[in-house]
Amino acid sequence: MSDATRPVLGDGPVCPLPLPDHDTVLLAHGGGGRLTQRLIEELLLPAFDNPELRRLHDGAVLEAPPGRLAFSTDSFVVSPLFFPGGDIGSLAVHGTVNDLAMCGATPLWLSVSLILEEGLPLATLRRIVASLQRAAQAIPVSIVTGDTKVVGRGQADGVYINTAGIGVVRPGVDLAPQHARVGDVVLLSGPLAAHGMAIMSLRESLGFETALRSDSAALHGLVARLLETAPQAVHVLRDPTRGGVASALNEIAAAATVGFCLEERAIPVADGAREACELLGLDPLYVANEGVFLAIVAAEAADALLAALRADPLGHAAAAIGTVTAAHPGRVVLRTTIGGTRVVDMLSGEQLPRIC
Amino acid sequence: MSDATRPVLGDGPVCPLPLPDHDTVLLAHGGGGRLTQRLIEELLLPAFDNPELRRLHDGAVLEAPPGRLAFSTDSFVVSPLFFPGGDIGSLAVHGTVNDLAMCGATPLWLSVSLILEEGLPLATLRRIVASLQRAAQAIPVSIVTGDTKVVGRGQADGVYINTAGIGVVRPGVDLAPQHARVGDVVLLSGPLAAHGMAIMSLRESLGFETALRSDSAALHGLVARLLETAPQAVHVLRDPTRGGVASALNEIAAAATVGFCLEERAIPVADGAREACELLGLDPLYVANEGVFLAIVAAEAADALLAALRADPLGHAAAAIGTVTAAHPGRVVLRTTIGGTRVVDMLSGEQLPRIC
């Protein structure tokens, strides 16, 4: 039993079961035995390689820098797994990194937990894992711990990914929805609705595919520009994902007991997304985004902060889209391009399930 | 629109859509709009209530104590959701807390991320959430951040839960599979196979249900006893979950390039689990556990450490089950009760999917 001394690497003649790309995920890949270990050793560790993960311990042991920590988690169930501008792997990294960034934190470490459906092609898993790693490396953030479960056919839809992240909060920064103040300016870092409309047009085969790409991107660098420009002037950051800008601002309005007044003509919408929204009768304010954020900032610093955003390629289309008002607390009101006003309520119901 | 100013609490006449217990999870509960927020405000926040979660931010901001941090994650897909001795909620807390404990860490904070299947009864979700909170409170550990996604019918099996956890590692403690040394003693904190056989008998309707209960339990207290008794003498801790003791020791044997010699008659097996294993032709060494751990400890401290375990109700059946040997590195060998020896290899294949 020569393989007992080398139970996992499987190179050379001791390899009992190779993992070629045409193979699929088996229930035994989640059983905790030899196939689980081979999946980890042959597919996951080479992709995510770092000293912490190599210890193969039950968790990572990390030397945290001084300061407050930010901790966040998201599960990703997007369908389809691959879409123009990204895939479930890059989205899973960007999503949690962005949640940390919205806390004013520099991302440090991620966990990755996979729920795999029996029958998922290993080649698909390889692509997703490579995308996770590319996205993590670009930030950079280390994937230091993880988990893999397998469920039977029809008990998931290919793969679901959970990431949790830890970051260190910049000194002196204290962001929270409750900190929005009357007179503050609402900045939007980029055009709306690209992610939601890219997924929707792909799912519904609307033929916009070539024009529409998800905006999925890591926003920590753009946030750093803001916080380096005027850390005290930034009161709230929020990325308007599910539910869109409308839901995000309604949540902040409720938390801070303030109102918002938005200028419709100031709100940038992604190329192609506006047309797709019009065709489908959707309002870009309710569509999910994965690469833009809202910043509620002190009025006196708004110009400098807007300039800081625009100096970054990711923020070149940033705009001041409205103000925080004492009128109508808890409510978001839009001044339309034709001069009327309307209440922008929370999203009711569901535009498109499994958008992220 | 009086509900616009109180869009989420839904008490009294402003409540547009109550959430009675006979209702079920809808896709819109995952849409990021009003129903998502009501699920959070009415079902999740009241259960997990704490100041961090109440901020309703994208992540938690935490004051970490000095020292190294442990970070771990696990997703839970156990079927059925409720079983004798626990449920997916308590299991999700214990599992990640135990991973932190195996790193020598005191658990501090948890994230909870739910993937819900459309149609899941809200009453079931309430039970699970209550169980999560009870388990967290008993430790105690704070659930400080979370996420909820909803997938369509047939795209999950009721509910899957991911938890990630952060703990602070005890000073002077350095545990890793690589630290097993020749001459060390293998302690087992309690009897084997209760969790796996409880789930298996329930799933296969074998009629053992009344006798068999999962051992699901938080092990951080028992670990603390060990580390307070002789911190330097504890080299490796590992909870033998999926794949059982056999897979856990094979992993450690490979990581540390040592062998293990186990004494079959010294290995405690849970009441009822031995009989169930015999009936099904299973080896208790391969069955999943959720409330015991292996400790690889210096021989000179083994008696004191065993006594420390036995002084705790959770460790009353603890036993020294074997030793670390220079012979057969990478291999686990069992001396059977009838005096023979056999190699205990990694688990091949899958005994029972979705055991945790």
Side-chain angles (χ1 to χ4, degrees):
Chain A
M1 293 220 23
S2 64
D3 64 321
T5 57
R6 306 197 52 184
V8 291
L9 293 172
D11 47 352
V14 297
C15 175
L17 286 162
L19 288 176
D21 270 356
H22 60 266
D23 266 358
T24 60
V25 170
L26 308 174
L27 281 172
H29 280 119
R34 191 178 301 283
L35 274 182
T36 303
Q37 197 155 23
R38 296 199 51 208
L39 188 73
I40 294 169
E41 288 275 346
E42 295 180 20
L43 201 152
L44 300 174
L45 279 188
F48 300 148
D49 198 29
N50 65 62
E52 260 313 318
L53 218 52
R54 276 267 156 216
R55 286 161 64 101
L56 295 171
H57 203 359
D58 284 334
V61 173
L62 307 162
E63 296 283 349
R68 293 161 298 156
L69 297 177
F71 181 32
S72 189
T73 189
D74 259 325
S75 288
F76 297 85
V77 298
V78 67
S79 169
L81 297 173
F82 302 90
F83 46 83
D87 57 64
I88 192 171
S90 54
L91 192 67
V93 171
H94 296 160
T96 290
V97 161
N98 290 349
D99 282 348
L100 296 175
M102 297 305 119
C103 298
T106 305
L108 297 174
W109 304 296
L110 286 186
S111 65
V112 171
S113 181
L114 305 170
I115 297 177
L116 308 177
E117 184 187 10
E118 180 188 18
L120 177 76
L122 284 173
T124 304
L125 182 59
R126 273 184 216 279
R127 271 180 76 191
I128 291 167
V129 164
S131 173
L132 274 162
Q133 173 59 10
R134 260 196 315 276
Q137 210 156 24
I139 285 169
V141 65
S142 289
I143 294 168
V144 293
T145 190
D147 179 50
T148 305
K149 293 290 190 303
V150 180
V151 298
R153 286 173 200 271
Q155 296 169 347
D157 189 11
V159 53
Y160 301 147
I161 302 179
N162 175 277
T163 51
I166 301 176
V168 61
V169 180
R170 286 169 177 267
V173 168
D174 184 15
L175 304 170
Q178 291 77 9
H179 295 180
R181 290 187 219 151
V182 171
D184 282 355
V185 172
V186 182
L187 304 180
L188 176 64
S189 73
L192 291 184
H195 179 74
M197 296 318 295
I199 298 282
M200 198 169 296
S201 66
L202 193 61
R203 289 254 289 276
E204 310 297 328
S205 301
L206 294 181
F208 294 116
E209 289 94 295
T210 49
L212 281 168
R213 289 174 62 82
S214 167
D215 61 348
S216 177
L219 296 167
H220 61 295
L222 203 51
V223 167
R225 283 184 180 261
L226 277 195
L227 296 179
E228 282 156 13
T229 302
Q232 308 295 328
V234 182
H235 298 157
V236 189
L237 297 178
R238 177 65 62 103
D239 55 336
T241 55
R242 288 180 289 175
V245 162
S247 298
L249 287 181
N250 270 283
E251 285 172 23
I252 297 166
T257 324
V258 296
F260 284 100
C261 184
L262 304 182
E263 289 291 339
E264 186 173 27
R265 68 178 156 198
I267 300 173
V269 178
D271 287 344
R274 188 186 299 276
E275 296 72 16
C277 280
E278 279 171 8
L279 187 77
L280 295 170
L282 294 172
D283 184 336
L285 290 174
Y286 291 89
V287 177
N289 311 280
E290 292 291 343
V292 301
F293 64 89
L294 294 158
I296 319 283
V297 305
E300 61 273 20
D303 287 346
L305 291 167
L306 187 57
L309 288 176
R310 287 180 172 165
D312 190 295
L314 209 52
H316 76 276
I321 65 165
T323 52
V324 179
T325 166
H328 52 80
R331 196 174 295 190
V332 180
V333 169
L334 182 77
R335 295 215 312 180
T336 66
T337 44
I338 56 166
T341 63
R342 68 175 172 91
V343 172
V344 178
D345 207 348
M346 293 281 290
L347 177 66
S348 292
E350 172 63 300
Q351 282 188 337
L352 184 72
R354 297 180 54 198
I355 198 84
C356 60
Chain B
M1 296 232 4
S2 64
D3 65 319
T5 57
R6 306 196 55 184
V8 290
L9 292 172
D11 47 353
V14 297
C15 173
L17 287 162
L19 288 176
D21 271 354
H22 61 265
D23 266 358
T24 60
V25 170
L26 308 173
L27 282 172
H29 281 119
R34 193 178 299 284
L35 273 182
T36 302
Q37 198 155 22
R38 297 199 51 208
L39 188 73
I40 293 169
E41 288 276 344
E42 294 179 20
L43 201 151
L44 299 175
L45 278 189
F48 299 147
D49 198 28
N50 65 60
E52 259 314 318
L53 218 51
R54 275 268 157 216
R55 287 161 64 101
L56 293 172
H57 204 359
D58 284 333
V61 173
L62 307 162
E63 296 283 349
R68 294 162 297 156
L69 298 176
F71 180 32
S72 189
T73 188
D74 259 325
S75 288
F76 297 86
V77 298
V78 67
S79 169
L81 298 173
F82 302 90
F83 47 83
D87 57 63
I88 193 171
S90 54
L91 193 66
V93 171
H94 295 159
T96 290
V97 162
N98 291 349
D99 283 348
L100 297 174
M102 297 305 118
C103 298
T106 304
L108 297 174
W109 303 296
L110 286 186
S111 66
V112 171
S113 180
L114 305 170
I115 297 177
L116 308 176
E117 184 187 10
E118 182 188 18
L120 177 76
L122 284 174
T124 305
L125 182 58
R126 274 185 216 280
R127 273 181 74 191
I128 291 167
V129 164
S131 174
L132 274 161
Q133 172 60 8
R134 261 197 315 276
Q137 210 156 25
I139 287 170
V141 65
S142 289
I143 294 168
V144 293
T145 190
D147 178 51
T148 304
K149 293 291 191 303
V150 180
V151 297
R153 285 173 201 271
Q155 296 169 348
D157 188 11
V159 53
Y160 300 146
I161 302 180
N162 175 278
T163 51
I166 301 176
V168 60
V169 180
R170 286 169 176 266
V173 167
D174 184 15
L175 304 170
Q178 292 77 7
H179 295 180
R181 289 185 219 153
V182 171
D184 281 355
V185 172
V186 182
L187 304 180
L188 176 64
S189 74
L192 291 184
H195 179 74
M197 297 317 296
I199 298 283
M200 197 170 296
S201 66
L202 194 61
R203 288 255 289 276
E204 310 298 327
S205 301
L206 294 181
F208 295 115
E209 290 95 295
T210 50
L212 281 168
R213 288 174 63 83
S214 167
D215 61 348
S216 177
L219 295 167
H220 62 296
L222 204 50
V223 167
R225 283 184 181 261
L226 277 194
L227 296 178
E228 282 157 12
T229 302
Q232 307 296 330
V234 182
H235 299 157
V236 189
L237 297 178
R238 177 66 61 104
D239 55 337
T241 55
R242 287 180 291 174
V245 163
S247 299
L249 288 181
N250 270 283
E251 285 173 22
I252 298 167
T257 324
V258 296
F260 284 99
C261 185
L262 304 182
E263 290 290 338
E264 186 173 26
R265 66 178 158 201
I267 300 174
V269 177
D271 288 344
R274 189 186 299 277
E275 296 73 16
C277 279
E278 279 171 7
L279 187 78
L280 295 170
L282 295 172
D283 184 336
L285 290 174
Y286 291 89
V287 177
N289 311 280
E290 292 290 343
V292 300
F293 64 88
L294 295 158
I296 320 281
V297 305
E300 61 273 18
D303 287 347
L305 291 166
L306 186 57
L309 288 175
R310 287 180 172 165
D312 190 295
L314 210 52
H316 76 277
I321 65 165
T323 53
V324 179
T325 167
H328 52 80
R331 197 174 295 191
V332 180
V333 169
L334 182 77
R335 296 215 312 180
T336 66
T337 45
I338 56 166
T341 63
R342 67 174 172 91
V343 171
V344 178
D345 206 350
M346 292 281 291
L347 177 67
S348 292
E350 172 64 301
Q351 283 188 338
L352 185 71
R354 297 180 54 198
I355 198 83
C356 61

